Structure formats: C-alpha cells, structure tokens
Amino acid sequence: MKIYSVIMWLLLFASSILFSEIHAQFDIDTTKKEQIYLITTNNDGSFLGKIISIDSREVLIQTNTIGEVYIPKYQINSIEVIEEDRMTENGNYLPNEVFATRYFITTNGLAIEKGENYIQWNWYGPDIQFGVGKNFGVGVMTSWAGVPVIGTMKYSIPLGDKFSCGVGSLIGTASWVSPESGGALPFGVLTFGDRKSNLNISGGYSFLSIEGDYDGRPLFSIAGLAKIGKKVSLVFDSFIAGQGGYIKDMEYDPITGKPYEVLKRRKGGALLIPGVRLEFSSQNTFQFGFGGIIADGEIQPFPIPMVQWYRKI
C-alpha cells in the first residue's frame, strides 16, 4: 500500500468519526439530574451546570452563578460531560486543556479525549488533530503547498495522575512533487506531570526515501510545559537527530589533485525552541518562540520565529 493511501485512509476515518460526534453531541441523558455539563457557544461563551431540559429548539441549564439560562440550539457549539475529577471542592471547573498534548513540534503521552479536535495554524501550514477514541488520536499535517503530507496517530497510556506514556507514528509522502518519495517515524513518549506542568522525553527512528535515496536515523526530543500564570505558560521543545546513513562524496588528493570517492556519514543536529504560550480561552491559544540550530558543534539562530495558533474545531 502506498504511503499517501495510508494517509488518506487516516484522514477519512477521522473525518467520519468527527461527523458522528457532531451529530451525537446533543444526545443528553436528562435523567442524570446531578450530572454537570459544559455548554460552549459559537462565540466562545460557556455555561457550566446541570441540564434541566432539552428540546428541538433550546437547552435549559441550571448554573451556579447566574441561575437558569435558556440557550438556543443554533448557538451551541458543543455540550461536554464534566466528570467529578475536573471539579474542585468549591465547585470550580478545571478545564481539560487539549492543547497541552502538544509543544511546538512534538507531542507527549497526554491523551486527546474523544471528540476533542483542534487545528494548529502555522506560518508554513495547518496541522489538524482528531480525538477519535479513548486515548487515541489521528491527524494530518502539511504545508500551504501541500508538500509534504504527513498522517499522524498516537495511542496514550495513562499510568497515574502524574505519569503517562504513548506510542505512535508519522507516515508521510512528498505528494504531488514526488509521489514515490516519503517516510515514516514510529516513536514512543514518556511524560512526567499533568496538563499544567510536564516534562516529556520521546524517541523514534525515521525512515526516509527520496527518489530512491534511502536514509534512516534515530530521533529524540526533550520538551516541557510550565504554567506560570492563569493564561501564560512557558514552552520548550527540541528535535534532536542522530547520525544518518552513509553517502558518497568526492575528495581531492592534496598532492596530485585527483578526485577520489569516499563514504561519509550524514551528520546529526538539533533544533531547540523555547517560547511562550498565551491562552485566550479554552477554544483559542497562541504561542510563539525563537529557535536555535546546533550543527557542527555550533549554535546558530533559526532565522524564522515559530508562530502558532491553536483552535478547537
């Protein structure tokens, strides 16, 4: 099976799940009188409380702050069930920060909940992620030119309140530029912490084929997130590439000046990205950072800043 066929299958699968989630999100069991719900409107407003009734036109919710509120259905973006562990003793809601599963480039072991979908807008292109099952997410990322196209999948394994791990893979193709060129990156992640503050270690091995030229190398990352204010977090990400396979190169004899062929290892390197994340709401988050490249033992600034906008969909 060609790589781009796998990517299209992932995208179609995620889209079908998302479609079913959209049509099922208003199927509320009003017999559970003590169940807490979070209703998010299309203009990013939110109402937290117990749903009293729901009909074809509107939802009646009993909030703790402003009492009963009627919300027309056409204004509702989503209705979410809130479990007890996301409520404080004082009745305050602890939002499940879906964007905490990502840094600038890499991901971690924290799970995207089923139905929690988002898009990450980058200056170079979009990255769309879907929570399609319990602790399982898939997605697709590309550039504005559609080169490359990369499908993603990740399965998270919670091991405790402050520890989780996960396994996943990236599968990509050069699409219309070179359909036969592509690659894959299976990986594993270990995450210490929660959605407010965490440290992540990940590693994998990449396989790359470009017009018959093959390369493989280990890839690693150390990343982290630290919340320093109600809406401000510090973010750090890295992308560390080990040495690759051998390539043919030409050198010249210092005495005769004649060329001769040698084999050289593809060199490794690293990209380091510290930055700041600003949370405008549970639906929108903006982050920016400035990277540095380590190559040949020297650190050079990355010429273009990383600017990203997360938005729930």
Side-chain angles (χ1 to χ4, degrees):
M1 181 180 292
K2 296 183 180 298
I3 292 175
Y4 57 83
S5 298
V6 176
I7 295 172
M8 291 305 298
W9 180 88
L10 287 173
L11 184 57
L12 290 172
F13 175 68
S15 300
S16 65
I17 297 297
L18 176 60
F19 182 81
S20 63
E21 285 291 334
I22 291 174
H23 283 267
Q25 63 181 351
F26 296 149
D27 186 15
I28 305 300
D29 185 0
T30 56
T31 62
K32 297 181 178 180
K33 300 299 183 181
E34 300 303 315
Q35 179 64 62
I36 302 296
Y37 295 91
L38 176 66
I39 298 180
T40 303
T41 59
N42 295 324
N43 61 357
D44 287 343
S46 61
F47 298 89
L48 182 71
K50 301 172 184 178
I51 291 181
I52 299 175
S53 65
I54 183 170
D55 57 30
S56 60
R57 295 182 303 171
E58 59 194 7
V59 176
L60 174 60
I61 184 171
Q62 174 69 47
T63 68
N64 292 332
T65 54
I66 58 176
E68 294 184 358
V69 179
Y70 284 96
I71 308 173
K73 270 192 172 181
Y74 71 87
Q75 293 184 359
I76 297 176
N77 178 268
S78 64
I79 300 178
E80 181 182 357
V81 176
I82 303 301
E83 304 297 340
E84 292 183 1
D85 58 359
R86 292 171 62 185
M87 300 293 295
T88 66
E89 294 181 356
N90 298 327
N92 295 321
Y93 167 59
L94 295 174
N96 188 7
E97 298 180 20
V98 62
F99 309 132
T101 63
R102 291 289 297 277
Y103 305 104
F104 281 98
I105 300 175
T106 63
T107 184
N108 55 36
L110 300 173
I112 300 179
E113 300 297 334
K114 183 178 179 180
E116 287 193 334
N117 316 297
Y118 68 86
I119 184 168
Q120 180 197 70
W121 296 108
N122 301 280
W123 57 261
Y124 52 82
D127 179 345
I128 308 173
Q129 298 294 320
F130 303 96
V132 298
K134 184 175 177 59
N135 300 327
F136 181 63
V138 300
V140 62
M141 63 180 73
T142 187
S143 69
W144 298 117
V147 182
V149 177
I150 302 174
T152 69
M153 63 178 71
K154 183 185 73 173
Y155 181 70
S156 300
I157 307 171
L159 301 176
D161 292 338
K162 299 289 185 178
F163 183 43
S164 57
C165 65
V167 292
S169 182
L170 281 70
I171 305 173
T173 173
S175 65
W176 60 270
V177 171
S178 179
E180 301 302 321
S181 300
L185 172 60
F187 63 86
V189 294
L190 291 173
T191 306
F192 305 90
D194 53 25
R195 293 177 182 267
K196 305 295 183 182
S197 299
N198 58 68
L199 174 67
N200 184 72
I201 301 172
S202 60
Y205 196 89
S206 68
F207 303 90
L208 187 64
S209 172
I210 302 178
E211 297 181 349
D213 183 16
Y214 295 92
D215 186 28
R217 66 179 66 202
L219 298 175
F220 306 95
S221 174
I222 298 175
L225 175 72
K227 201 172 187 67
I228 60 174
K230 186 177 181 179
K231 294 183 177 296
V232 181
S233 299
L234 298 179
V235 186
F236 176 78
D237 204 355
S238 64
F239 201 74
I240 306 167
Q243 288 186 326
Y246 288 92
I247 58 173
K248 294 180 180 181
D249 196 8
M250 299 299 295
E251 291 191 356
Y252 294 87
D253 188 287
I255 299 177
T256 64
K258 293 182 178 181
Y260 61 95
E261 190 175 86
V262 296
L263 292 177
K264 291 184 177 180
R265 289 288 296 270
R266 288 185 169 94
K267 296 182 179 180
L271 174 63
L272 311 178
I273 312 173
V276 176
R277 178 174 295 183
L278 305 175
E279 302 166 19
F280 297 127
S281 71
S282 62
Q283 305 289 316
N284 293 279
T285 292
F286 174 81
Q287 70 179 17
F288 63 92
F290 296 90
I293 300 174
I294 300 178
D296 297 325
E298 297 182 356
I299 300 179
Q300 300 291 336
F302 189 69
I304 304 175
M306 296 292 291
V307 179
Q308 298 173 326
W309 177 36
Y310 290 89
R311 182 171 176 81
K312 276 189 173 183
I313 56 176

